[in-house]
């Protein structure tokens, strides 16, 4: 497994998660550094990795691409005209390399890229204000976004257009599909709501003691959260 991390100091780090050499059958893992360098002109706002590919977005309006096995840069993308707020890959189960890259920005738009090679396919204006987060359904046919306009939107990735848009009443900072795509969850400050993917019906809601900063779905209906 590969991990990447970005910082306010404009640096990007790449790591490889491996078993300990003297305990190859153990569940104990160690992080091995792959690379570290200044990749952006402003602080890094978002990062994502899938298979051998990784991407980072920044307040300098650019996306930088990386090849993790060779610890090298693949270049940059310049389609956005405002800060990049979220990046995510879509990788079909049958492939080891991602098929698409999606990115969102502070002007409310979402860019869709083909990854072989990295070619810009379309830009869709989704929100009236900045996009906070986006998540691609495991099928690769649609994506959800939440923005500072206090709305939830759905993108039809087959046709490349917005197909659904509704007001939430509160600003959601995160939205993620579960691993099976049957449900999704949204984070609003300390609250996490779990919804049915088919009709967005609220299944359950729970509250953390502090603001939720990041979240990721896990196996067997687990949800991993980090809080302030």
């Amino acid at each position: 497994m590969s991990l990447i991390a970005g910082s306010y100091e404009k640096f990007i780090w790449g790591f490889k998660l491996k078993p300990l050499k003297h305990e190859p059958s153990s569940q104990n893992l160690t992080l091995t550094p792959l690379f570290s360098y200044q990749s952006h002109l402003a602080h890094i706002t978002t990062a994502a990795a899938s298979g051998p590919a990784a991407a980072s977005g920044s307040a300098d309006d650019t996306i930088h691409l990386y090849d993790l096995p060779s610890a090298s840069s693949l270049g940059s993308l310049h389609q956005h005209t405002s800060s990049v707020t979220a990046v995510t890959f879509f990788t079909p189960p049958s492939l080891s390399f991602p098929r698409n890259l999606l990115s969102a920005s502070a002007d409310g738009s979402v860019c869709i890229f083909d990854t072989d090679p990295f070619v810009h396919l379309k830009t869709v204006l989704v929100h009236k204000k900045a996009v906070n987060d986006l998540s691609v359904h495991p099928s690769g046919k649609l994506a959800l976004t939440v923005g500072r306009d206090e709305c939830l939107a759905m993108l039809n990735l087959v046709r490349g257009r917005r197909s659904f848009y509704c007001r939430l009443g509160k600003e959601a900072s995160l939205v993620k599909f579960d691993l099976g795509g049957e449900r999704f969850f949204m984070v609003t400050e300390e609250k996490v709501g779990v919804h049915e993917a088919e009709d967005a019906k609220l299944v359950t809601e729970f509250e953390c003691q502090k603001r939720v900063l990041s979240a990721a779905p896990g196996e067997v209906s687990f949800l991993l959260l980090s809080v302030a």
Side-chain angles (χ1 to χ4, degrees):
M1 177 185 293
S2 298
L3 304 174
I4 61 169
S7 75
Y8 279 95
E9 288 74 31
K10 313 170 190 176
F11 275 81
I12 189 80
W13 289 272
F15 300 92
K16 191 73 173 180
L17 192 61
K18 298 179 178 180
L20 295 175
K21 290 184 178 180
H22 59 281
E23 300 178 18
S25 61
S26 171
Q27 294 185 349
N28 295 322
L29 303 174
T30 182
L31 283 176
T32 302
L34 294 175
F35 58 82
S36 173
Y37 53 86
Q38 185 173 334
S39 59
H40 288 274
L41 300 177
H43 63 272
I44 295 174
T45 53
T46 179
S50 180
S56 62
S58 167
D60 64 7
D61 306 351
T62 64
I63 299 170
H64 282 245
L65 307 168
Y66 315 92
D67 179 71
L68 295 176
S70 63
S72 62
S73 173
L74 295 175
S76 57
L77 303 172
H78 302 269
Q79 273 69 33
H80 288 291
T81 57
S82 59
S83 297
V84 181
T85 56
V87 292
T88 187
F89 288 101
F90 167 64
T91 305
S94 59
L95 299 179
S96 59
F97 193 85
R99 174 180 293 171
N100 296 103
L101 169 68
L102 273 72
S103 61
S105 72
D107 64 3
S109 66
V110 171
C111 287
I112 306 170
F113 300 89
D114 191 345
T115 59
D116 189 22
F118 282 92
V119 176
H120 176 242
L121 299 177
K122 194 166 187 178
T123 297
V124 184
L125 184 59
V126 183
H127 290 270
K128 297 178 181 179
K129 296 183 179 180
V131 180
N132 288 334
D133 196 22
L134 62 86
S135 180
V136 181
H137 190 269
S139 67
K141 296 181 179 180
L142 59 90
L144 293 177
T145 63
V146 290
R148 297 193 65 183
D149 56 2
E150 300 182 355
C151 291
L152 166 71
M154 178 185 294
L155 277 171
N156 183 325
L157 299 179
V158 177
R159 297 187 176 184
R161 68 185 187 187
R162 190 180 72 181
S163 58
F164 176 79
Y165 186 74
C166 73
R167 181 166 294 278
L168 300 172
K170 291 184 178 180
E171 180 182 339
S173 58
L174 299 171
V175 62
K176 303 292 180 188
F177 280 105
D178 67 9
L179 297 182
E182 297 177 354
R183 294 179 176 180
F184 69 92
F185 63 86
M186 288 189 294
V187 174
T188 305
E189 295 183 349
E190 298 89 2
K191 292 185 178 180
V192 181
V194 182
H195 301 258
E196 295 285 357
E198 185 176 359
D199 55 9
K201 179 181 178 181
L202 181 65
V203 177
T204 186
E205 186 177 60
F206 54 93
E207 188 168 354
C208 302
Q209 295 181 350
K210 295 183 179 181
R211 183 182 180 187
V212 178
L213 299 179
S214 62
E219 299 286 350
V220 199
S221 300
F222 275 94
L223 180 60
L224 309 176
L225 305 174
S226 66
V227 298

